[in-house]
Amino acid sequence: MRLEGKRALVTGSGRGIGRAIAIRLAREGAEIAINDLHIEGEARQTLAEVEAAGRRGILIRADLAHADEARRLVEEAVRQLGSLDILVNNAGIEKRSPFVEVSEQDYDTVLHVNLKGAFFTSQAFARHLIGTKRPGKIINISSVHEELPFPGYASYCASKGGLQLLTRDLAVELGPHGITVNGIAPGAIATEINRSLLDDKPRVERLLKQIPLGRMGKPEDVAALAAFLASSDADYVTGSTYYVDGGLAWHYQE
Ligand code: BGC
């Protein structure tokens, strides 16, 4: 177990990739603050699996589209767990729409949750670590679309592109405090975020042809990398984004 005695906050961990990360970090020995917009139902299942791994878990509701909620989330996690060592900025949403039809409201929702939420949660977490003079690890769950265009998802691309450079900037600003900052860029992972894709068989078949490893990813594929980046095995790793995409991003076909 690589995370014995550590405490981690995983945003958006009620389901999907966030849930798999929360469970994997717990299996590696960490206590987990589980956050989601709703903490009834699905988030309780994450909690049950964290507890089944023999670790303490707490549930905190927060809407990360608002900076004050992000700050309250970190304060509450610190109050209940005593301190934090690891932050996984995983909460994210996407909205499909042709660029020329994107509304201001949809743009704001996507940018606020995916980018502003990660920004101010990281700020509160960094203040906590600097204030208590302790090192720590920030892991930003981005997407292959921090690099690759995704037609029909311009606001999502803008948010993930922002997250890419936020990762690099924070690695430089927070490195002197012993805080590492890395990104994970998942490709096509089978979760609820792409339910419309999963329900569209011809689209899935076209997608699978573009994935050299020939399958969609599992949340656990992403969680395994998060466990490494959260551990002391990755103490000298900062400022980079790691792809978990079965080879999708670099597979160009004529
Ligand atoms: C998106 C998915 C998409 C995948 C691969 C992810 O970031 O959330 O909707 O299927 O990228 O394109």
Side-chain angles (χ1 to χ4, degrees):
M1 284 203 291
R2 292 181 286 185
L3 301 177
E4 194 93 57
K6 301 289 184 196
R7 288 140 191 190
L9 166 60
V10 185
T11 69
S13 47
R15 60 185 184 169
I17 291 173
R19 172 187 286 175
I21 292 174
I23 295 167
R24 179 64 194 262
L25 299 190
R27 288 184 182 153
E28 296 279 354
E31 295 183 4
I32 311 289
I34 299 156
N35 151 257
D36 218 300
L37 195 50
H38 308 286
I39 55 168
E40 297 308 324
E42 290 177 311
R44 298 215 162 264
Q45 182 59 34
T46 308
L47 177 63
E49 295 199 41
V50 164
E51 289 176 346
R55 296 295 140 183
R56 181 170 178 216
I58 56 167
L59 286 175
I60 308 173
R61 202 208 81 83
D63 177 357
L64 299 178
H66 306 282
D68 57 344
E69 287 271 283
R71 287 191 277 268
R72 183 185 56 78
L73 169 62
V74 172
E75 277 163 22
E76 188 61 30
V78 167
R79 197 180 62 74
Q80 290 197 45
L81 294 181
S83 64
L84 283 173
D85 309 281
I86 299 156
L87 167 65
V88 183
N89 286 308
N90 165 80
I93 55 169
E94 65 187 34
K95 289 192 182 280
R96 187 178 188 184
S97 163
F99 171 64
V100 290
E101 287 166 24
V102 175
S103 68
E104 181 177 358
Q105 195 189 354
D106 279 359
Y107 171 93
D108 282 347
T109 310
V110 172
L111 269 287
H112 287 179
V113 174
N114 296 7
L115 187 55
K116 185 175 162 188
F119 190 106
F120 285 102
T121 310
S122 298
Q123 185 189 62
F125 177 70
R127 285 177 178 166
H128 162 63
L129 291 179
I130 293 166
T132 52
K133 296 194 167 44
R134 293 160 48 250
K137 307 216 183 284
I138 298 176
I139 300 165
N140 291 325
I141 307 303
S142 174
S143 165
V144 290
H145 301 299
E146 68 167 40
E147 189 73 42
L148 282 185
F150 193 15
Y153 294 86
S155 59
Y156 186 74
C157 289
S159 71
K160 297 301 186 178
L163 197 54
Q164 179 193 67
L165 207 52
L166 181 66
T167 298
R168 294 180 193 169
D169 182 81
L170 296 191
V172 174
E173 284 201 45
L174 300 178
H177 298 285
I179 302 169
T180 64
V181 189
N182 290 290
I184 297 180
I189 310 297
T191 70
E192 284 309 306
I193 201 171
N194 44 33
R195 170 54 48 205
S196 68
L197 165 76
L198 296 173
D199 290 341
D200 184 342
K201 271 211 154 147
R203 245 178 101 199
V204 171
E205 274 161 26
R206 278 199 305 280
L207 175 66
L208 290 182
K209 289 201 184 99
Q210 292 174 54
I211 302 176
L213 291 183
R215 65 167 174 91
M216 288 184 75
K218 297 178 295 214
E220 292 75 19
D221 293 321
V222 181
L225 181 57
F228 164 71
L229 290 173
S231 78
S232 59
D233 287 341
D235 277 352
Y236 198 60
V237 177
T238 197
S240 293
T241 297
Y242 298 86
Y243 284 61
V244 184
D245 70 345
L248 166 79
W250 308 128
H251 189 210
Y252 170 74
Q253 275 180 316
E254 281 204 358

